[in-house]
mmCIF file of all heavy atoms in Angstrom:
data_model
loop_
_atom_site.group_PDB
_atom_site.id
_atom_site.type_symbol
_atom_site.label_atom_id
_atom_site.label_comp_id
_atom_site.label_asym_id
_atom_site.label_seq_id
_atom_site.Cartn_x
_atom_site.Cartn_y
_atom_site.Cartn_z
ATOM 1 N N ASP A 5 14.106 -11.880 0.485
ATOM 2 C CA ASP A 5 13.513 -13.111 -0.174
ATOM 3 C C ASP A 5 12.287 -13.316 0.333
ATOM 4 O O ASP A 5 11.384 -13.873 -0.366
ATOM 5 C CB ASP A 5 14.506 -14.353 0.160
ATOM 6 C CG ASP A 5 15.861 -14.313 -0.653
ATOM 7 O OD1 ASP A 5 15.812 -13.610 -1.811
ATOM 8 O OD2 ASP A 5 16.757 -14.942 -0.336
ATOM 9 N N SER A 6 11.984 -13.054 1.613
ATOM 10 C CA SER A 6 10.537 -13.181 2.136
ATOM 11 C C SER A 6 9.667 -12.328 1.398
ATOM 12 O O SER A 6 8.505 -12.625 1.092
ATOM 13 C CB SER A 6 10.600 -12.812 3.566
ATOM 14 O OG SER A 6 11.301 -13.708 4.393
ATOM 15 N N PHE A 7 10.043 -11.071 1.178
ATOM 16 C CA PHE A 7 9.233 -10.036 0.344
ATOM 17 C C PHE A 7 8.945 -10.622 -0.946
ATOM 18 O O PHE A 7 7.819 -10.661 -1.434
ATOM 19 C CB PHE A 7 9.804 -8.707 0.261
ATOM 20 C CG PHE A 7 9.215 -7.782 -0.720
ATOM 21 C CD1 PHE A 7 8.043 -7.073 -0.563
ATOM 22 C CD2 PHE A 7 9.925 -7.577 -2.018
ATOM 23 C CE1 PHE A 7 7.619 -6.273 -1.378
ATOM 24 C CE2 PHE A 7 9.307 -6.808 -2.899
ATOM 25 C CZ PHE A 7 8.132 -6.169 -2.693
ATOM 26 N N LEU A 8 10.089 -11.048 -1.678
ATOM 27 C CA LEU A 8 9.841 -11.564 -3.140
ATOM 28 C C LEU A 8 8.842 -12.712 -3.086
ATOM 29 O O LEU A 8 7.933 -12.781 -3.909
ATOM 30 C CB LEU A 8 11.132 -11.962 -3.650
ATOM 31 C CG LEU A 8 11.246 -12.357 -5.092
ATOM 32 C CD1 LEU A 8 10.548 -11.247 -5.992
ATOM 33 C CD2 LEU A 8 12.604 -12.700 -5.533
ATOM 34 N N ASN A 9 9.013 -13.699 -2.292
ATOM 35 C CA ASN A 9 8.073 -14.909 -2.185
ATOM 36 C C ASN A 9 6.663 -14.416 -1.872
ATOM 37 O O ASN A 9 5.671 -14.938 -2.565
ATOM 38 C CB ASN A 9 8.545 -15.984 -1.187
ATOM 39 C CG ASN A 9 9.564 -16.907 -1.988
ATOM 40 O OD1 ASN A 9 9.252 -17.629 -2.751
ATOM 41 N ND2 ASN A 9 10.875 -16.703 -1.436
ATOM 42 N N ALA A 10 6.422 -13.592 -0.886
ATOM 43 C CA ALA A 10 5.130 -13.249 -0.528
ATOM 44 C C ALA A 10 4.500 -12.400 -1.549
ATOM 45 O O ALA A 10 3.219 -12.615 -1.880
ATOM 46 C CB ALA A 10 5.257 -12.335 0.808
ATOM 47 N N ALA A 11 5.201 -11.514 -2.235
ATOM 48 C CA ALA A 11 4.749 -10.659 -3.407
ATOM 49 C C ALA A 11 4.300 -11.662 -4.609
ATOM 50 O O ALA A 11 3.251 -11.303 -5.166
ATOM 51 C CB ALA A 11 5.687 -9.688 -3.773
ATOM 52 N N MET A 12 5.088 -12.533 -4.765
ATOM 53 C CA MET A 12 4.810 -13.455 -5.955
ATOM 54 C C MET A 12 3.595 -14.322 -5.648
ATOM 55 O O MET A 12 2.774 -14.483 -6.554
ATOM 56 C CB MET A 12 6.000 -14.461 -6.274
ATOM 57 C CG MET A 12 7.242 -13.605 -6.808
ATOM 58 S SD MET A 12 7.006 -12.791 -8.400
ATOM 59 C CE MET A 12 7.122 -14.240 -9.443
ATOM 60 N N LEU A 13 3.426 -14.788 -4.470
ATOM 61 C CA LEU A 13 2.193 -15.589 -4.125
ATOM 62 C C LEU A 13 0.950 -14.583 -4.141
ATOM 63 O O LEU A 13 -0.068 -14.982 -4.663
ATOM 64 C CB LEU A 13 2.482 -16.221 -2.700
ATOM 65 C CG LEU A 13 2.900 -17.733 -2.731
ATOM 66 C CD1 LEU A 13 2.990 -18.201 -1.304
ATOM 67 C CD2 LEU A 13 1.959 -18.485 -3.526
ATOM 68 N N LEU A 14 1.190 -13.381 -3.534
ATOM 69 C CA LEU A 14 0.017 -12.498 -3.395
ATOM 70 C C LEU A 14 -0.509 -12.043 -4.839
ATOM 71 O O LEU A 14 -1.744 -11.853 -5.010
ATOM 72 C CB LEU A 14 0.451 -11.324 -2.638
ATOM 73 C CG LEU A 14 -0.733 -10.460 -1.967
ATOM 74 C CD1 LEU A 14 -1.707 -11.391 -1.207
ATOM 75 C CD2 LEU A 14 -0.164 -9.413 -1.057
ATOM 76 N N SER A 15 0.475 -12.086 -5.787
ATOM 77 C CA SER A 15 0.072 -11.580 -7.045
ATOM 78 C C SER A 15 -0.423 -12.697 -7.991
ATOM 79 O O SER A 15 -0.761 -12.559 -9.171
ATOM 80 C CB SER A 15 1.291 -10.792 -7.670
ATOM 81 O OG SER A 15 2.305 -11.791 -8.017
ATOM 82 N N GLY A 16 -0.279 -13.924 -7.481
ATOM 83 C CA GLY A 16 -0.768 -15.082 -8.213
ATOM 84 C C GLY A 16 0.298 -15.606 -9.127
ATOM 85 O O GLY A 16 0.010 -16.654 -9.856
ATOM 86 N N MET A 17 1.510 -15.280 -9.011
ATOM 87 C CA MET A 17 2.624 -15.919 -9.849
ATOM 88 C C MET A 17 3.134 -17.126 -9.197
ATOM 89 O O MET A 17 3.796 -17.984 -9.956
ATOM 90 C CB MET A 17 3.687 -14.930 -9.946
ATOM 91 C CG MET A 17 3.318 -13.535 -10.556
ATOM 92 S SD MET A 17 2.750 -13.758 -12.304
ATOM 93 C CE MET A 17 4.148 -14.014 -13.027
ATOM 94 N N GLY A 18 3.193 -17.347 -7.935
ATOM 95 C CA GLY A 18 3.746 -18.567 -7.265
ATOM 96 C C GLY A 18 4.878 -18.231 -6.621
ATOM 97 O O GLY A 18 5.620 -17.187 -6.939
ATOM 98 N N PRO A 19 5.390 -19.107 -5.677
ATOM 99 C CA PRO A 19 6.631 -18.769 -4.932
ATOM 100 C C PRO A 19 7.831 -19.052 -5.916
ATOM 101 O O PRO A 19 7.841 -19.805 -6.755
ATOM 102 C CB PRO A 19 6.565 -19.741 -3.800
ATOM 103 C CG PRO A 19 5.709 -20.961 -4.350
ATOM 104 C CD PRO A 19 4.817 -20.271 -5.258
ATOM 105 N N LEU A 20 8.871 -18.345 -5.457
ATOM 106 C CA LEU A 20 10.207 -18.565 -6.093
ATOM 107 C C LEU A 20 11.007 -19.692 -5.532
ATOM 108 O O LEU A 20 11.809 -20.356 -6.082
ATOM 109 C CB LEU A 20 10.952 -17.262 -6.136
ATOM 110 C CG LEU A 20 10.375 -16.227 -7.151
ATOM 111 C CD1 LEU A 20 11.237 -14.892 -7.068
ATOM 112 C CD2 LEU A 20 10.324 -16.646 -8.473
ATOM 113 N N THR A 21 11.053 -19.564 -4.138
ATOM 114 C CA THR A 21 11.765 -20.632 -3.260
ATOM 115 C C THR A 21 10.670 -21.611 -2.800
ATOM 116 O O THR A 21 9.802 -21.319 -2.174
ATOM 117 C CB THR A 21 12.401 -19.962 -2.166
ATOM 118 O OG1 THR A 21 13.083 -18.842 -2.568
ATOM 119 C CG2 THR A 21 13.288 -20.774 -1.371
ATOM 120 N N ALA A 22 11.113 -22.963 -3.081
ATOM 121 C CA ALA A 22 10.281 -23.993 -2.583
ATOM 122 C C ALA A 22 10.488 -24.176 -1.025
ATOM 123 O O ALA A 22 11.603 -24.148 -0.557
ATOM 124 C CB ALA A 22 10.507 -25.280 -3.412
ATOM 125 N N PRO A 23 9.309 -24.229 -0.369
ATOM 126 C CA PRO A 23 9.563 -24.325 1.156
ATOM 127 C C PRO A 23 10.267 -25.754 1.453
ATOM 128 O O PRO A 23 10.056 -26.779 0.835
ATOM 129 C CB PRO A 23 8.102 -24.449 1.597
ATOM 130 C CG PRO A 23 7.230 -23.960 0.541
ATOM 131 C CD PRO A 23 7.949 -24.263 -0.705
ATOM 132 N N LEU A 24 11.112 -25.623 2.495
ATOM 133 C CA LEU A 24 11.920 -26.837 2.753
ATOM 134 C C LEU A 24 11.438 -27.590 4.127
ATOM 135 O O LEU A 24 11.506 -28.759 4.210
ATOM 136 C CB LEU A 24 13.354 -26.496 3.009
ATOM 137 C CG LEU A 24 14.050 -25.831 1.750
ATOM 138 C CD1 LEU A 24 15.442 -25.454 2.101
ATOM 139 C CD2 LEU A 24 14.100 -26.776 0.648
ATOM 140 N N THR A 25 10.904 -26.700 4.995
ATOM 141 C CA THR A 25 10.503 -27.365 6.282
ATOM 142 C C THR A 25 8.886 -27.570 6.203
ATOM 143 O O THR A 25 8.193 -27.007 5.357
ATOM 144 C CB THR A 25 10.667 -26.276 7.443
ATOM 145 O OG1 THR A 25 9.822 -25.150 7.266
ATOM 146 C CG2 THR A 25 12.142 -25.851 7.492
ATOM 147 N N ASP A 26 8.443 -28.591 7.045
ATOM 148 C CA ASP A 26 7.019 -28.853 7.122
ATOM 149 C C ASP A 26 6.145 -27.677 7.474
ATOM 150 O O ASP A 26 5.153 -27.413 6.840
ATOM 151 C CB ASP A 26 6.773 -30.078 8.027
ATOM 152 C CG ASP A 26 7.328 -31.363 7.631
ATOM 153 O OD1 ASP A 26 7.559 -31.430 6.341
ATOM 154 O OD2 ASP A 26 7.503 -32.230 8.469
ATOM 155 N N ASN A 27 6.636 -26.888 8.445
ATOM 156 C CA ASN A 27 5.878 -25.667 8.889
ATOM 157 C C ASN A 27 5.924 -24.646 7.672
ATOM 158 O O ASN A 27 4.928 -24.004 7.454
ATOM 159 C CB ASN A 27 6.539 -25.059 10.160
ATOM 160 C CG ASN A 27 6.280 -25.725 11.336
ATOM 161 O OD1 ASN A 27 5.314 -26.624 11.424
ATOM 162 N ND2 ASN A 27 7.040 -25.707 12.347
ATOM 163 N N GLY A 28 7.048 -24.524 6.975
ATOM 164 C CA GLY A 28 7.104 -23.641 5.831
ATOM 165 C C GLY A 28 6.199 -24.070 4.671
ATOM 166 O O GLY A 28 5.468 -23.223 4.090
ATOM 167 N N LYS A 29 6.055 -25.233 4.446
ATOM 168 C CA LYS A 29 5.125 -25.833 3.476
ATOM 169 C C LYS A 29 3.715 -25.583 3.866
ATOM 170 O O LYS A 29 2.887 -25.214 3.051
ATOM 171 C CB LYS A 29 5.378 -27.324 3.285
ATOM 172 C CG LYS A 29 6.655 -27.758 2.542
ATOM 173 C CD LYS A 29 6.979 -29.173 2.514
ATOM 174 C CE LYS A 29 8.329 -29.460 1.951
ATOM 175 N NZ LYS A 29 8.545 -30.878 1.819
ATOM 176 N N LEU A 30 3.357 -25.727 5.116
ATOM 177 C CA LEU A 30 1.938 -25.572 5.566
ATOM 178 C C LEU A 30 1.678 -24.004 5.461
ATOM 179 O O LEU A 30 0.593 -23.671 5.016
ATOM 180 C CB LEU A 30 1.817 -26.003 7.045
ATOM 181 C CG LEU A 30 0.514 -25.779 7.695
ATOM 182 C CD1 LEU A 30 -0.463 -26.649 6.894
ATOM 183 C CD2 LEU A 30 0.554 -26.267 9.161
ATOM 184 N N PHE A 31 2.663 -23.204 5.987
ATOM 185 C CA PHE A 31 2.361 -21.847 5.822
ATOM 186 C C PHE A 31 2.224 -21.389 4.283
ATOM 187 O O PHE A 31 1.461 -20.621 3.984
ATOM 188 C CB PHE A 31 3.526 -21.035 6.426
ATOM 189 C CG PHE A 31 3.527 -19.542 6.080
ATOM 190 C CD1 PHE A 31 2.622 -18.735 6.711
ATOM 191 C CD2 PHE A 31 4.260 -18.959 5.066
ATOM 192 C CE1 PHE A 31 2.477 -17.308 6.393
ATOM 193 C CE2 PHE A 31 4.225 -17.731 4.775
ATOM 194 C CZ PHE A 31 3.289 -16.813 5.352
ATOM 195 N N ALA A 32 3.102 -21.824 3.420
ATOM 196 C CA ALA A 32 3.005 -21.404 1.990
ATOM 197 C C ALA A 32 1.664 -21.924 1.408
ATOM 198 O O ALA A 32 1.122 -21.154 0.614
ATOM 199 C CB ALA A 32 4.185 -22.078 1.214
ATOM 200 N N GLY A 33 1.154 -23.041 1.802
ATOM 201 C CA GLY A 33 -0.077 -23.592 1.120
ATOM 202 C C GLY A 33 -1.241 -22.672 1.678
ATOM 203 O O GLY A 33 -2.038 -22.248 0.946
ATOM 204 N N LEU A 34 -1.240 -22.368 3.046
ATOM 205 C CA LEU A 34 -2.358 -21.569 3.658
ATOM 206 C C LEU A 34 -2.163 -20.056 3.107
ATOM 207 O O LEU A 34 -3.239 -19.524 2.777
ATOM 208 C CB LEU A 34 -2.258 -21.594 5.169
ATOM 209 C CG LEU A 34 -2.581 -22.858 5.723
ATOM 210 C CD1 LEU A 34 -2.352 -22.805 7.170
ATOM 211 C CD2 LEU A 34 -4.022 -23.217 5.483
ATOM 212 N N TYR A 35 -1.009 -19.643 2.938
ATOM 213 C CA TYR A 35 -0.795 -18.299 2.450
ATOM 214 C C TYR A 35 -1.324 -18.308 0.970
ATOM 215 O O TYR A 35 -1.788 -17.103 0.572
ATOM 216 C CB TYR A 35 0.536 -17.820 2.546
ATOM 217 C CG TYR A 35 0.811 -16.312 2.242
ATOM 218 C CD1 TYR A 35 0.250 -15.384 3.101
ATOM 219 C CD2 TYR A 35 1.461 -15.916 1.059
ATOM 220 C CE1 TYR A 35 0.420 -14.031 2.757
ATOM 221 C CE2 TYR A 35 1.701 -14.595 0.750
ATOM 222 C CZ TYR A 35 1.158 -13.624 1.576
ATOM 223 O OH TYR A 35 1.323 -12.346 1.198
ATOM 224 N N ALA A 36 -0.990 -19.194 0.189
ATOM 225 C CA ALA A 36 -1.494 -19.260 -1.268
ATOM 226 C C ALA A 36 -2.968 -19.168 -1.263
ATOM 227 O O ALA A 36 -3.610 -18.402 -2.155
ATOM 228 C CB ALA A 36 -0.898 -20.375 -1.908
ATOM 229 N N LEU A 37 -3.628 -20.013 -0.494
ATOM 230 C CA LEU A 37 -5.088 -20.043 -0.366
ATOM 231 C C LEU A 37 -5.619 -18.522 0.046
ATOM 232 O O LEU A 37 -6.582 -18.049 -0.613
ATOM 233 C CB LEU A 37 -5.634 -21.024 0.576
ATOM 234 C CG LEU A 37 -5.449 -22.451 0.088
ATOM 235 C CD1 LEU A 37 -5.894 -23.456 1.201
ATOM 236 C CD2 LEU A 37 -6.327 -22.618 -1.111
ATOM 237 N N TYR A 38 -5.098 -18.024 1.096
ATOM 238 C CA TYR A 38 -5.448 -16.698 1.598
ATOM 239 C C TYR A 38 -5.303 -15.673 0.506
ATOM 240 O O TYR A 38 -6.146 -14.824 0.319
ATOM 241 C CB TYR A 38 -4.572 -16.433 2.729
ATOM 242 C CG TYR A 38 -4.627 -14.911 3.195
ATOM 243 C CD1 TYR A 38 -5.851 -14.515 3.897
ATOM 244 C CD2 TYR A 38 -3.721 -14.075 2.854
ATOM 245 C CE1 TYR A 38 -5.897 -13.174 4.386
ATOM 246 C CE2 TYR A 38 -3.726 -12.736 3.232
ATOM 247 C CZ TYR A 38 -4.760 -12.231 3.971
ATOM 248 O OH TYR A 38 -4.880 -10.880 4.374
ATOM 249 N N SER A 39 -4.112 -15.856 -0.309
ATOM 250 C CA SER A 39 -3.805 -14.815 -1.294
ATOM 251 C C SER A 39 -4.925 -14.846 -2.476
ATOM 252 O O SER A 39 -5.249 -13.794 -2.998
ATOM 253 C CB SER A 39 -2.520 -15.129 -1.927
ATOM 254 O OG SER A 39 -1.457 -14.917 -0.983
#
């Protein structure tokens, strides 16, 4: 699932699983910008 979410964000499609934790949300946002 980590691979799937990272690959989807890296390809510009967006995550499949919405982050639940505050740290997860922060990571997902920063990773999306980085991607």
Side-chain angles (χ1 to χ4, degrees):
D5 287 339
S6 295
F7 166 76
L8 186 58
N9 274 292
M12 293 296 282
L13 264 178
L14 198 55
S15 66
M17 301 296 287
L20 293 178
T21 306
L24 302 176
T25 65
D26 288 343
N27 287 338
K29 291 174 184 178
L30 183 62
F31 170 76
L34 292 174
Y35 187 71
L37 291 171
Y38 168 79
S39 296

